[in-house]
Amino acid sequence: MNPHLDDTIVAVSTPAGRGGIGVVRLAGEKAAAIARQLVRTPAGKDIELQAGRASFAIIIDGESGERIDEAVITYFQAPHSYTGEDIVEISAHGSPVILRHILEQAMNRGARLAEPGEFTMRAFLSGRIDLTQAEAVRDLIDSQTLFQAKAAAQQLNGALSKRVQPIKAALMNLIATLEAGVDFAEDDVAVLANDEIIQRIDPLIESLEKLTRSISYGKLVHEGVTLAIVGRPNVGKSSLFNRLVERDHAIVTATPGTTRDLVAETVSLGGIPVKLIDTAGLRESQDEAEKIGIEKSYAALADADIVLAVADASAADSCKKPWDSALKARANVIFVDNKIDLLREGSQSAEKTARSGHVQTSALRDQGIKELREKIIQMLSGETSQHEPGFLTNERQFQSTKDALDAMQTARDAVRNRLPHEVLLLDLYAGLKALDSLTGQTSTDDILQLIFAGFCIGK
């Protein structure tokens, strides 16, 4: 990232390609001055930009002064902008030629081409957002479902920061209390007893443990889940796959062994991206290509977050499944009895299938597909229903929280071993440093302010 943060930067902020509107954004001290040189009023006069208001303008050729396009210019005056600096957004027609012209003209007048993520980095450095909110910007842009977008918007609004802040505040108060006892003992500042220190550390450990566990929900929302459809050949796996993706993606024939490789597609179920994988039928085979497909099926079964175990309801041996051993230790398995259209009403097989507790479907006739979707969503809801606002979404956040938790546990051990408070403070500061990577740095002045405000040193 370019270290020259005092530069005025410019970039096209809309996706590459053609569209109805394209936006060029300028940020920095000279943003307004540069923008004024690129446009004129419809009457051909210099334009006056007003903070917080949009103005209609004509984009001109910097050399000839000829009219190029019409645009709407919006001026956000510091500090009331995304980056905390002056920002000007020029909304022109979304022609790559027009947008490139605006970009080049701005650069000719002193702006620098922004680097990837530089606008958001400036927002972070100016204190407008913290690191977790900056990551939420990326998550919001990358969201594939409305549910993901809502979750990212919560994070962008500071949900994770708000959850971490009370933990951090309590830790800072504990540090301030112990520092006061160590540094100002001559002023009769009381030192906490070990039992009281543990009573103040234990809630921090409990909160951090809950926060670290939220990574499973965060990854579910952010990355989605993988669902593998497994079963013997010709039980209707590919037909179920096509019903769930709502189009004929996988090849379906009456010949067993048609699917010899994994077929995958991502759909939204309950707002969660679900990667559906249609697999080769599980059976003994001498065909080399099919054997490779079956090996991939077992690998997909092992890696999947959810498994649809499909059987032919009309087959006499439908309950004898060769993959049973692989499923015994798994919790997230949905058993599906397909081809119920082949069962005679009132037959022994029909009664047995009805009693099985499995989801009953007929992919051919679209029976039970709605119930199958609901069953999958119900399983996903079990993962997503119990969570607090603010959760970890990536490995960086998880590692920072885990480091803070480890530091708190080490601090508790230090208290129990009756180590000096100077040693204990090292562990507490290590925990604070780990939390700083989530919410921003804590300065020495912050600690000192707590010490003096809380204990009235010098009276």
Side-chain angles (χ1 to χ4, degrees):
M1 189 66 73
N2 197 305
H4 301 296
L5 299 176
D6 293 332
D7 294 348
T8 295
I9 57 175
V10 64
V12 178
S13 294
T14 42
R18 301 179 185 277
I21 294 176
V23 178
V24 176
R25 175 188 280 175
L26 290 132
E29 186 178 355
K30 299 177 182 178
I34 292 173
R36 288 190 189 99
Q37 299 176 57
L38 306 180
V39 298
R40 294 287 184 270
T41 67
K45 297 181 180 180
D46 291 343
I47 195 165
E48 289 297 326
L49 298 178
Q50 298 183 28
R53 296 188 63 179
S55 304
F56 180 73
I58 305 300
I59 298 172
I60 59 171
D61 187 317
E63 302 298 329
S64 65
E66 292 179 328
R67 179 189 183 117
I68 298 293
D69 193 12
E70 298 175 348
V72 174
I73 315 298
T74 310
Y75 176 39
F76 303 91
Q77 191 173 36
H80 307 294
S81 73
Y82 179 59
T83 66
E85 313 161 283
D86 283 354
I87 284 184
V88 177
E89 293 183 350
I90 303 174
S91 301
H93 290 99
S95 162
V97 174
I98 298 296
L99 299 179
R100 185 165 58 248
H101 170 81
I102 299 171
L103 196 68
E104 290 173 352
Q105 292 298 310
M107 292 169 65
N108 289 341
R109 286 161 175 75
R112 170 173 62 78
L113 184 63
E115 298 190 18
E118 189 169 357
F119 286 94
T120 301
M121 186 194 74
R122 289 188 174 204
F124 166 70
L125 293 175
S126 68
R128 297 285 293 173
I129 59 175
D130 62 27
L131 280 178
T132 61
Q133 291 171 299
E135 289 170 323
V137 172
R138 180 193 60 210
D139 292 344
L140 187 58
I141 293 170
D142 291 342
S143 59
Q144 302 174 55
T145 69
L146 184 59
F147 186 82
Q148 284 182 313
K150 288 178 179 179
Q154 276 190 341
Q155 300 291 74
L156 184 56
N157 195 39
L160 179 55
S161 303
K162 291 171 185 174
R163 185 170 176 180
V164 171
Q165 203 57 46
I167 303 173
K168 189 174 177 180
L171 178 55
M172 288 174 60
N173 275 307
L174 178 57
I175 289 173
T177 303
L178 295 175
E179 285 281 19
V182 171
D183 295 341
F184 302 103
E186 66 275 10
D187 291 289
D188 296 325
V189 175
V191 175
L192 291 177
N194 284 346
D195 288 346
E196 188 174 349
I197 295 173
I198 288 179
Q199 287 175 7
R200 292 175 67 169
I201 290 178
D202 280 347
L204 301 180
I205 291 176
E206 182 181 353
S207 296
L208 289 169
E209 284 176 339
K210 289 179 67 177
L211 187 55
T212 55
R213 289 195 293 270
S214 75
I215 187 65
S216 59
Y217 172 73
K219 284 187 173 180
L220 177 67
V221 172
H222 188 250
E223 301 173 9
V225 298
T226 300
L227 185 152
I229 304 176
V230 301
R232 285 186 175 183
N234 210 28
V235 296
K237 299 184 300 300
S238 296
S239 297
L240 280 174
F241 176 88
N242 289 339
R243 288 293 186 183
L244 291 172
V245 302
E246 298 183 327
R247 68 187 185 91
D248 291 338
H249 188 156
I251 297 173
V252 177
T253 73
T255 305
T258 301
T259 303
R260 297 193 172 193
D261 202 350
L262 304 182
V263 180
E265 184 157 329
T266 300
V267 298
S268 173
L269 294 175
I272 300 295
V274 178
K275 182 180 180 182
L276 298 172
I277 301 177
D278 182 24
T279 65
L282 302 177
R283 67 172 178 177
E284 296 293 329
S285 176
Q286 300 303 315
D287 183 274
E288 185 176 358
E290 187 177 0
K291 285 175 69 176
I292 294 173
I294 292 170
E295 289 174 4
K296 289 185 177 183
S297 296
Y298 278 108
L301 171 60
D303 295 338
D305 300 298
I306 298 176
V307 174
L308 292 190
V310 184
D312 182 347
S314 66
D317 60 349
S318 62
C319 60
K320 299 177 182 178
K321 295 177 275 289
W323 60 89
D324 272 347
S325 58
L327 296 177
K328 283 181 180 177
R330 300 187 62 114
N332 292 349
V333 179
I334 299 174
F335 292 96
V336 181
D337 289 332
N338 192 35
K339 299 189 177 183
I340 59 170
D341 54 294
L342 299 180
L343 295 174
R344 294 196 313 274
E345 188 175 347
S347 68
Q348 217 172 22
S349 296
E351 291 177 2
K352 183 177 180 180
T353 298
R355 292 195 304 268
S356 68
H358 299 178
V359 180
Q360 300 174 44
T361 63
S362 169
L364 179 66
R365 297 185 179 177
D366 200 21
Q367 291 177 261
I369 304 302
K370 179 182 176 182
E371 290 75 14
L372 178 57
R373 283 198 182 92
E374 289 173 352
K375 184 73 172 180
I376 297 170
I377 292 170
Q378 181 183 2
M379 186 165 284
L380 292 172
S381 298
E383 299 287 340
T384 63
S385 59
Q386 302 298 324
H387 69 90
E388 297 180 35
F391 47 85
L392 307 179
T393 60
N394 58 51
E395 193 61 33
R396 185 197 71 82
Q397 294 173 2
F398 173 76
Q399 193 57 55
S400 295
T401 308
K402 182 68 166 56
D403 289 345
L405 175 60
D406 291 344
M408 292 303 98
Q409 291 171 335
T410 303
R412 182 173 58 185
D413 291 340
V415 176
R416 287 174 173 170
N417 292 328
R418 301 186 180 279
L419 295 178
H421 285 182
E422 290 86 349
V423 176
L424 169 61
L425 280 165
L426 293 175
D427 296 321
L428 297 180
Y429 273 116
L432 184 60
K433 182 179 179 182
L435 293 180
D436 279 344
S437 65
L438 293 176
T439 61
Q441 294 295 323
T442 303
S443 69
T444 304
D445 289 342
D446 294 329
I447 301 295
L448 289 176
Q449 185 177 3
L450 281 172
I451 293 173
F452 285 93
F455 299 99
C456 304
I457 303 299
K459 272 192 175 180

